[in-house]
PDB file of all heavy atoms in Angstrom:
ATOM      1  N   GLU A   5      -7.195  16.295   7.244  1.00  0.00           N
ATOM      2  CA  GLU A   5      -7.438  15.262   8.212  1.00  0.00           C
ATOM      3  C   GLU A   5      -7.912  14.040   7.495  1.00  0.00           C
ATOM      4  O   GLU A   5      -7.504  12.868   7.803  1.00  0.00           O
ATOM      5  CB  GLU A   5      -8.685  15.698   9.094  1.00  0.00           C
ATOM      6  CG  GLU A   5      -8.971  14.694  10.154  1.00  0.00           C
ATOM      7  CD  GLU A   5     -10.093  15.176  11.126  1.00  0.00           C
ATOM      8  OE1 GLU A   5     -10.932  16.055  10.612  1.00  0.00           O
ATOM      9  OE2 GLU A   5     -10.317  14.609  12.139  1.00  0.00           O
ATOM     10  N   ALA A   6      -8.805  14.112   6.435  1.00  0.00           N
ATOM     11  CA  ALA A   6      -9.071  13.030   5.612  1.00  0.00           C
ATOM     12  C   ALA A   6      -7.846  12.542   4.939  1.00  0.00           C
ATOM     13  O   ALA A   6      -7.687  11.241   4.808  1.00  0.00           O
ATOM     14  CB  ALA A   6     -10.168  13.340   4.460  1.00  0.00           C
ATOM     15  N   LYS A   9      -5.732  10.194   7.040  1.00  0.00           N
ATOM     16  CA  LYS A   9      -6.301   8.854   7.249  1.00  0.00           C
ATOM     17  C   LYS A   9      -6.033   7.987   6.077  1.00  0.00           C
ATOM     18  O   LYS A   9      -5.765   6.790   5.952  1.00  0.00           O
ATOM     19  CB  LYS A   9      -7.877   8.731   7.439  1.00  0.00           C
ATOM     20  CG  LYS A   9      -8.201   8.352   8.900  1.00  0.00           C
ATOM     21  CD  LYS A   9      -9.431   7.472   9.089  1.00  0.00           C
ATOM     22  CE  LYS A   9     -10.532   7.652   8.118  1.00  0.00           C
ATOM     23  NZ  LYS A   9     -11.552   6.610   8.500  1.00  0.00           N
ATOM     24  N   ILE A  12      -2.465   6.930   6.198  1.00  0.00           N
ATOM     25  CA  ILE A  12      -2.143   5.770   7.288  1.00  0.00           C
ATOM     26  C   ILE A  12      -2.757   4.494   6.610  1.00  0.00           C
ATOM     27  O   ILE A  12      -2.102   3.552   6.801  1.00  0.00           O
ATOM     28  CB  ILE A  12      -2.883   6.118   8.419  1.00  0.00           C
ATOM     29  CG1 ILE A  12      -2.303   7.359   9.164  1.00  0.00           C
ATOM     30  CG2 ILE A  12      -2.875   4.801   9.450  1.00  0.00           C
ATOM     31  CD1 ILE A  12      -2.951   7.826  10.408  1.00  0.00           C
ATOM     32  N   GLN A  13      -3.910   4.588   5.915  1.00  0.00           N
ATOM     33  CA  GLN A  13      -4.522   3.309   5.406  1.00  0.00           C
ATOM     34  C   GLN A  13      -3.993   2.814   4.203  1.00  0.00           C
ATOM     35  O   GLN A  13      -3.668   1.560   3.991  1.00  0.00           O
ATOM     36  CB  GLN A  13      -5.979   3.606   5.155  1.00  0.00           C
ATOM     37  CG  GLN A  13      -6.860   2.573   5.590  1.00  0.00           C
ATOM     38  CD  GLN A  13      -8.316   2.887   5.420  1.00  0.00           C
ATOM     39  OE1 GLN A  13      -8.860   3.271   4.289  1.00  0.00           O
ATOM     40  NE2 GLN A  13      -9.129   2.834   6.514  1.00  0.00           N
ATOM     41  N   GLN A  17       2.241   1.866   5.009  1.00  0.00           N
ATOM     42  CA  GLN A  17       2.820   0.459   4.984  1.00  0.00           C
ATOM     43  C   GLN A  17       4.304   0.583   4.481  1.00  0.00           C
ATOM     44  O   GLN A  17       5.144  -0.187   4.950  1.00  0.00           O
ATOM     45  CB  GLN A  17       1.949  -0.464   4.217  1.00  0.00           C
ATOM     46  CG  GLN A  17       2.523  -1.882   4.027  1.00  0.00           C
ATOM     47  CD  GLN A  17       1.694  -2.702   3.202  1.00  0.00           C
ATOM     48  OE1 GLN A  17       0.542  -2.709   3.244  1.00  0.00           O
ATOM     49  NE2 GLN A  17       2.416  -3.587   2.281  1.00  0.00           N
ATOM     50  N   GLU A  51      15.684   3.111 -11.748  1.00  0.00           N
ATOM     51  CA  GLU A  51      16.090   4.183 -12.871  1.00  0.00           C
ATOM     52  C   GLU A  51      14.888   4.841 -13.423  1.00  0.00           C
ATOM     53  O   GLU A  51      14.988   6.118 -13.631  1.00  0.00           O
ATOM     54  CB  GLU A  51      16.893   3.487 -13.976  1.00  0.00           C
ATOM     55  CG  GLU A  51      18.218   2.838 -13.597  1.00  0.00           C
ATOM     56  CD  GLU A  51      19.083   3.914 -13.164  1.00  0.00           C
ATOM     57  OE1 GLU A  51      19.220   5.039 -13.777  1.00  0.00           O
ATOM     58  OE2 GLU A  51      19.771   3.751 -12.149  1.00  0.00           O
ATOM     59  N   ASN A  55      14.668   8.932 -13.378  1.00  0.00           N
ATOM     60  CA  ASN A  55      14.807   9.472 -14.707  1.00  0.00           C
ATOM     61  C   ASN A  55      13.463  10.386 -14.978  1.00  0.00           C
ATOM     62  O   ASN A  55      13.486  11.056 -16.022  1.00  0.00           O
ATOM     63  CB  ASN A  55      15.054   8.551 -15.803  1.00  0.00           C
ATOM     64  CG  ASN A  55      16.338   7.920 -15.678  1.00  0.00           C
ATOM     65  OD1 ASN A  55      17.270   8.359 -15.029  1.00  0.00           O
ATOM     66  ND2 ASN A  55      16.635   6.797 -16.172  1.00  0.00           N
ATOM     67  N   ASN A  71      -2.545   7.122 -11.052  1.00  0.00           N
ATOM     68  CA  ASN A  71      -2.156   5.931 -11.704  1.00  0.00           C
ATOM     69  C   ASN A  71      -0.600   5.894 -11.720  1.00  0.00           C
ATOM     70  O   ASN A  71      -0.014   6.270 -12.768  1.00  0.00           O
ATOM     71  CB  ASN A  71      -2.751   5.828 -13.168  1.00  0.00           C
ATOM     72  CG  ASN A  71      -2.821   4.506 -13.700  1.00  0.00           C
ATOM     73  OD1 ASN A  71      -1.910   3.726 -13.309  1.00  0.00           O
ATOM     74  ND2 ASN A  71      -3.659   4.170 -14.589  1.00  0.00           N
ATOM     75  N   LYS A  73       1.740   3.805 -12.061  1.00  0.00           N
ATOM     76  CA  LYS A  73       2.411   2.973 -13.084  1.00  0.00           C
ATOM     77  C   LYS A  73       2.358   3.572 -14.428  1.00  0.00           C
ATOM     78  O   LYS A  73       3.166   3.183 -15.304  1.00  0.00           O
ATOM     79  CB  LYS A  73       1.923   1.518 -12.961  1.00  0.00           C
ATOM     80  CG  LYS A  73       2.577   0.842 -11.636  1.00  0.00           C
ATOM     81  CD  LYS A  73       2.179  -0.713 -11.771  1.00  0.00           C
ATOM     82  CE  LYS A  73       2.673  -1.332 -10.452  1.00  0.00           C
ATOM     83  NZ  LYS A  73       3.127  -2.678 -10.728  1.00  0.00           N
ATOM     84  N   LYS A  74       1.308   4.393 -14.635  1.00  0.00           N
ATOM     85  CA  LYS A  74       1.239   4.926 -15.973  1.00  0.00           C
ATOM     86  C   LYS A  74       2.171   6.161 -15.940  1.00  0.00           C
ATOM     87  O   LYS A  74       2.806   6.504 -16.927  1.00  0.00           O
ATOM     88  CB  LYS A  74      -0.172   5.400 -16.293  1.00  0.00           C
ATOM     89  CG  LYS A  74      -1.090   4.484 -16.948  1.00  0.00           C
ATOM     90  CD  LYS A  74      -1.426   4.738 -18.375  1.00  0.00           C
ATOM     91  CE  LYS A  74      -1.469   3.513 -19.262  1.00  0.00           C
ATOM     92  NZ  LYS A  74      -2.747   3.194 -19.588  1.00  0.00           N
ATOM     93  N   PRO A  77       6.352   4.552 -15.738  1.00  0.00           N
ATOM     94  CA  PRO A  77       6.483   3.145 -16.140  1.00  0.00           C
ATOM     95  C   PRO A  77       7.714   2.559 -15.747  1.00  0.00           C
ATOM     96  O   PRO A  77       8.762   3.245 -15.780  1.00  0.00           O
ATOM     97  CB  PRO A  77       6.402   3.356 -17.689  1.00  0.00           C
ATOM     98  CG  PRO A  77       5.817   4.643 -18.069  1.00  0.00           C
ATOM     99  CD  PRO A  77       6.148   5.541 -16.867  1.00  0.00           C
ATOM    100  N   GLY A  78       7.767   1.364 -15.125  1.00  0.00           N
ATOM    101  CA  GLY A  78       8.832   0.809 -14.667  1.00  0.00           C
ATOM    102  C   GLY A  78       9.117   1.028 -13.146  1.00  0.00           C
ATOM    103  O   GLY A  78      10.105   0.486 -12.514  1.00  0.00           O
ATOM    104  N   ILE A  82       4.026  -0.347  -5.788  1.00  0.00           N
ATOM    105  CA  ILE A  82       2.802  -1.115  -6.112  1.00  0.00           C
ATOM    106  C   ILE A  82       1.663  -0.365  -5.368  1.00  0.00           C
ATOM    107  O   ILE A  82       1.319  -0.454  -4.223  1.00  0.00           O
ATOM    108  CB  ILE A  82       2.840  -2.681  -5.509  1.00  0.00           C
ATOM    109  CG1 ILE A  82       3.891  -3.309  -6.155  1.00  0.00           C
ATOM    110  CG2 ILE A  82       1.464  -3.428  -5.716  1.00  0.00           C
ATOM    111  CD1 ILE A  82       4.139  -4.743  -5.670  1.00  0.00           C
ATOM    112  N   ALA A  84      -2.378   1.065  -6.933  1.00  0.00           N
ATOM    113  CA  ALA A  84      -3.205   1.106  -8.023  1.00  0.00           C
ATOM    114  C   ALA A  84      -3.605   2.386  -8.351  1.00  0.00           C
ATOM    115  O   ALA A  84      -3.924   2.791  -9.455  1.00  0.00           O
ATOM    116  CB  ALA A  84      -4.442   0.141  -7.893  1.00  0.00           C
TER     117      ALA A  84
ATOM    118  N   ALA B  34      20.889   6.100 -18.749  1.00  0.00           N
ATOM    119  CA  ALA B  34      19.475   6.415 -18.351  1.00  0.00           C
ATOM    120  C   ALA B  34      18.408   5.987 -19.323  1.00  0.00           C
ATOM    121  O   ALA B  34      17.414   5.473 -18.964  1.00  0.00           O
ATOM    122  CB  ALA B  34      19.366   7.944 -18.123  1.00  0.00           C
ATOM    123  N   SER B  56      10.567  -2.870 -18.652  1.00  0.00           N
ATOM    124  CA  SER B  56       9.228  -2.344 -18.318  1.00  0.00           C
ATOM    125  C   SER B  56       8.496  -2.188 -19.727  1.00  0.00           C
ATOM    126  O   SER B  56       8.957  -1.475 -20.620  1.00  0.00           O
ATOM    127  CB  SER B  56       9.337  -1.108 -17.614  1.00  0.00           C
ATOM    128  OG  SER B  56       8.057  -0.610 -17.475  1.00  0.00           O
ATOM    129  N   GLN B  58       4.882  -1.470 -21.674  1.00  0.00           N
ATOM    130  CA  GLN B  58       3.399  -0.935 -21.729  1.00  0.00           C
ATOM    131  C   GLN B  58       3.126  -0.663 -23.120  1.00  0.00           C
ATOM    132  O   GLN B  58       3.890  -0.466 -23.924  1.00  0.00           O
ATOM    133  CB  GLN B  58       3.196   0.391 -20.815  1.00  0.00           C
ATOM    134  CG  GLN B  58       3.333   0.268 -19.353  1.00  0.00           C
ATOM    135  CD  GLN B  58       3.016   1.544 -18.671  1.00  0.00           C
ATOM    136  OE1 GLN B  58       2.267   2.388 -19.169  1.00  0.00           O
ATOM    137  NE2 GLN B  58       3.380   1.587 -17.362  1.00  0.00           N
ATOM    138  N   GLU B  77       2.461  -4.557 -18.278  1.00  0.00           N
ATOM    139  CA  GLU B  77       1.336  -3.831 -17.787  1.00  0.00           C
ATOM    140  C   GLU B  77       0.345  -3.205 -18.667  1.00  0.00           C
ATOM    141  O   GLU B  77       0.999  -2.589 -19.692  1.00  0.00           O
ATOM    142  CB  GLU B  77       1.664  -3.007 -16.642  1.00  0.00           C
ATOM    143  CG  GLU B  77       2.374  -3.748 -15.396  1.00  0.00           C
ATOM    144  CD  GLU B  77       2.969  -2.948 -14.264  1.00  0.00           C
ATOM    145  OE1 GLU B  77       3.723  -2.013 -14.647  1.00  0.00           O
ATOM    146  OE2 GLU B  77       2.596  -3.111 -13.191  1.00  0.00           O
ATOM    147  N   HIS B  99       5.785  -7.632 -12.260  1.00  0.00           N
ATOM    148  CA  HIS B  99       4.717  -6.706 -12.311  1.00  0.00           C
ATOM    149  C   HIS B  99       3.814  -7.035 -13.456  1.00  0.00           C
ATOM    150  O   HIS B  99       4.194  -6.699 -14.540  1.00  0.00           O
ATOM    151  CB  HIS B  99       5.139  -5.219 -12.190  1.00  0.00           C
ATOM    152  CG  HIS B  99       5.843  -5.031 -10.887  1.00  0.00           C
ATOM    153  ND1 HIS B  99       5.338  -4.193  -9.995  1.00  0.00           N
ATOM    154  CD2 HIS B  99       7.064  -5.273 -10.650  1.00  0.00           C
ATOM    155  CE1 HIS B  99       6.308  -3.968  -9.053  1.00  0.00           C
ATOM    156  NE2 HIS B  99       7.316  -4.661  -9.398  1.00  0.00           N
ATOM    157  N   ASP B 123       3.000  -8.868  -8.516  1.00  0.00           N
ATOM    158  CA  ASP B 123       1.830  -7.915  -8.532  1.00  0.00           C
ATOM    159  C   ASP B 123       0.919  -8.266  -9.640  1.00  0.00           C
ATOM    160  O   ASP B 123       1.276  -8.185 -10.828  1.00  0.00           O
ATOM    161  CB  ASP B 123       2.506  -6.526  -8.709  1.00  0.00           C
ATOM    162  CG  ASP B 123       1.215  -5.428  -8.751  1.00  0.00           C
ATOM    163  OD1 ASP B 123       0.070  -5.883  -8.407  1.00  0.00           O
ATOM    164  OD2 ASP B 123       1.484  -4.275  -9.051  1.00  0.00           O
ATOM    165  N   HIS B 169       3.625  -9.505   2.864  1.00  0.00           N
ATOM    166  CA  HIS B 169       2.392  -8.814   2.534  1.00  0.00           C
ATOM    167  C   HIS B 169       1.451  -9.558   1.622  1.00  0.00           C
ATOM    168  O   HIS B 169       1.886 -10.028   0.469  1.00  0.00           O
ATOM    169  CB  HIS B 169       2.876  -7.507   1.685  1.00  0.00           C
ATOM    170  CG  HIS B 169       3.997  -6.673   2.499  1.00  0.00           C
ATOM    171  ND1 HIS B 169       3.593  -6.049   3.701  1.00  0.00           N
ATOM    172  CD2 HIS B 169       5.206  -6.468   2.252  1.00  0.00           C
ATOM    173  CE1 HIS B 169       4.720  -5.390   4.070  1.00  0.00           C
ATOM    174  NE2 HIS B 169       5.721  -5.653   3.293  1.00  0.00           N
ATOM    175  N   THR B 193       1.320  -7.824   6.923  1.00  0.00           N
ATOM    176  CA  THR B 193       0.105  -7.051   6.468  1.00  0.00           C
ATOM    177  C   THR B 193      -0.841  -8.094   5.688  1.00  0.00           C
ATOM    178  O   THR B 193      -0.382  -8.786   4.820  1.00  0.00           O
ATOM    179  CB  THR B 193       0.589  -5.988   5.425  1.00  0.00           C
ATOM    180  OG1 THR B 193       1.368  -5.177   6.148  1.00  0.00           O
ATOM    181  CG2 THR B 193      -0.713  -5.293   4.920  1.00  0.00           C
ATOM    182  N   ARG B 217      -0.535  -5.130  10.389  1.00  0.00           N
ATOM    183  CA  ARG B 217      -1.616  -4.449   9.743  1.00  0.00           C
ATOM    184  C   ARG B 217      -2.737  -5.394   9.295  1.00  0.00           C
ATOM    185  O   ARG B 217      -2.480  -6.367   8.590  1.00  0.00           O
ATOM    186  CB  ARG B 217      -1.152  -3.547   8.572  1.00  0.00           C
ATOM    187  CG  ARG B 217      -0.061  -2.530   8.994  1.00  0.00           C
ATOM    188  CD  ARG B 217       0.480  -1.810   7.754  1.00  0.00           C
ATOM    189  NE  ARG B 217      -0.531  -1.136   7.069  1.00  0.00           N
ATOM    190  CZ  ARG B 217      -0.839   0.177   7.099  1.00  0.00           C
ATOM    191  NH1 ARG B 217      -0.090   0.973   7.823  1.00  0.00           N
ATOM    192  NH2 ARG B 217      -1.858   0.709   6.341  1.00  0.00           N
ATOM    193  N   HIS B 219      -6.393  -5.215   7.376  1.00  0.00           N
ATOM    194  CA  HIS B 219      -7.437  -4.453   6.602  1.00  0.00           C
ATOM    195  C   HIS B 219      -8.631  -5.247   6.393  1.00  0.00           C
ATOM    196  O   HIS B 219      -8.580  -6.217   5.695  1.00  0.00           O
ATOM    197  CB  HIS B 219      -6.902  -4.002   5.285  1.00  0.00           C
ATOM    198  CG  HIS B 219      -5.657  -3.072   5.288  1.00  0.00           C
ATOM    199  ND1 HIS B 219      -5.997  -1.697   5.231  1.00  0.00           N
ATOM    200  CD2 HIS B 219      -4.345  -3.249   5.551  1.00  0.00           C
ATOM    201  CE1 HIS B 219      -4.845  -1.102   5.225  1.00  0.00           C
ATOM    202  NE2 HIS B 219      -3.819  -1.882   5.477  1.00  0.00           N
ATOM    203  N   PHE B 243      -8.270  -1.814  10.645  1.00  0.00           N
ATOM    204  CA  PHE B 243      -9.288  -1.105   9.828  1.00  0.00           C
ATOM    205  C   PHE B 243     -10.452  -1.902   9.778  1.00  0.00           C
ATOM    206  O   PHE B 243     -10.523  -2.963   9.052  1.00  0.00           O
ATOM    207  CB  PHE B 243      -8.698  -0.746   8.464  1.00  0.00           C
ATOM    208  CG  PHE B 243      -7.433   0.004   8.495  1.00  0.00           C
ATOM    209  CD1 PHE B 243      -6.213  -0.620   8.328  1.00  0.00           C
ATOM    210  CD2 PHE B 243      -7.404   1.400   8.819  1.00  0.00           C
ATOM    211  CE1 PHE B 243      -5.019   0.075   8.380  1.00  0.00           C
ATOM    212  CE2 PHE B 243      -6.189   2.139   8.856  1.00  0.00           C
ATOM    213  CZ  PHE B 243      -5.054   1.505   8.598  1.00  0.00           C
ATOM    214  N   ASN B 245     -13.508  -0.124   9.256  1.00  0.00           N
ATOM    215  CA  ASN B 245     -14.504   0.920   8.760  1.00  0.00           C
ATOM    216  C   ASN B 245     -15.322   0.213   7.514  1.00  0.00           C
ATOM    217  O   ASN B 245     -14.996  -0.558   6.933  1.00  0.00           O
ATOM    218  CB  ASN B 245     -13.863   2.157   8.505  1.00  0.00           C
ATOM    219  CG  ASN B 245     -12.610   2.008   7.527  1.00  0.00           C
ATOM    220  OD1 ASN B 245     -11.668   1.372   7.992  1.00  0.00           O
ATOM    221  ND2 ASN B 245     -12.665   2.542   6.323  1.00  0.00           N
ATOM    222  N   ASP B 267      -9.848   2.004  13.235  1.00  0.00           N
ATOM    223  CA  ASP B 267     -10.907   2.714  12.500  1.00  0.00           C
ATOM    224  C   ASP B 267     -12.183   1.840  12.468  1.00  0.00           C
ATOM    225  O   ASP B 267     -12.173   0.721  11.932  1.00  0.00           O
ATOM    226  CB  ASP B 267     -10.445   2.825  10.948  1.00  0.00           C
ATOM    227  CG  ASP B 267     -11.292   3.865  10.280  1.00  0.00           C
ATOM    228  OD1 ASP B 267     -12.466   4.138  10.658  1.00  0.00           O
ATOM    229  OD2 ASP B 267     -10.734   4.319   9.204  1.00  0.00           O
ATOM    230  N   ASP B 296     -10.941   6.447  14.761  1.00  0.00           N
ATOM    231  CA  ASP B 296     -12.127   6.900  14.113  1.00  0.00           C
ATOM    232  C   ASP B 296     -13.272   6.142  14.354  1.00  0.00           C
ATOM    233  O   ASP B 296     -13.471   5.006  14.045  1.00  0.00           O
ATOM    234  CB  ASP B 296     -11.863   7.079  12.470  1.00  0.00           C
ATOM    235  CG  ASP B 296     -12.900   7.808  11.802  1.00  0.00           C
ATOM    236  OD1 ASP B 296     -13.862   8.177  12.333  1.00  0.00           O
ATOM    237  OD2 ASP B 296     -12.635   8.077  10.509  1.00  0.00           O
ATOM    238  N   PHE B 323     -10.384  11.334  14.980  1.00  0.00           N
ATOM    239  CA  PHE B 323     -10.663  11.834  13.493  1.00  0.00           C
ATOM    240  C   PHE B 323     -12.132  12.126  13.427  1.00  0.00           C
ATOM    241  O   PHE B 323     -12.993  11.627  14.005  1.00  0.00           O
ATOM    242  CB  PHE B 323     -10.286  10.671  12.590  1.00  0.00           C
ATOM    243  CG  PHE B 323      -8.911  10.488  12.189  1.00  0.00           C
ATOM    244  CD1 PHE B 323      -8.082   9.626  12.826  1.00  0.00           C
ATOM    245  CD2 PHE B 323      -8.362  11.252  11.154  1.00  0.00           C
ATOM    246  CE1 PHE B 323      -6.811   9.429  12.398  1.00  0.00           C
ATOM    247  CE2 PHE B 323      -7.066  11.096  10.713  1.00  0.00           C
ATOM    248  CZ  PHE B 323      -6.170  10.099  11.497  1.00  0.00           C
ATOM    249  N   PHE B 324     -12.383  13.250  12.645  1.00  0.00           N
ATOM    250  CA  PHE B 324     -13.692  13.575  12.278  1.00  0.00           C
ATOM    251  C   PHE B 324     -14.698  13.780  13.384  1.00  0.00           C
ATOM    252  O   PHE B 324     -15.773  13.159  13.476  1.00  0.00           O
ATOM    253  CB  PHE B 324     -14.219  12.494  11.237  1.00  0.00           C
ATOM    254  CG  PHE B 324     -13.349  12.401  10.075  1.00  0.00           C
ATOM    255  CD1 PHE B 324     -12.765  11.187   9.720  1.00  0.00           C
ATOM    256  CD2 PHE B 324     -12.971  13.414   9.277  1.00  0.00           C
ATOM    257  CE1 PHE B 324     -12.118  11.019   8.560  1.00  0.00           C
ATOM    258  CE2 PHE B 324     -12.243  13.305   8.172  1.00  0.00           C
ATOM    259  CZ  PHE B 324     -11.632  12.138   7.887  1.00  0.00           C
TER     260      PHE B 324
END
Side-chain angles (χ1 to χ4, degrees):
Chain A
E5 186 183 15
K9 246 219 331 174
I12 295 172
Q13 225 173 50
Q17 178 184 319
E51 288 302 312
N55 297 341
N71 200 330
K73 288 187 176 216
K74 273 249 144 107
I82 297 177
Chain B
S56 173
Q58 291 188 16
E77 298 172 301
H99 295 251
D123 181 9
H169 306 293
T193 300
R217 298 176 62 102
H219 290 264
F243 302 101
N245 49 297
D267 195 340
D296 190 351
F323 278 95
F324 303 124

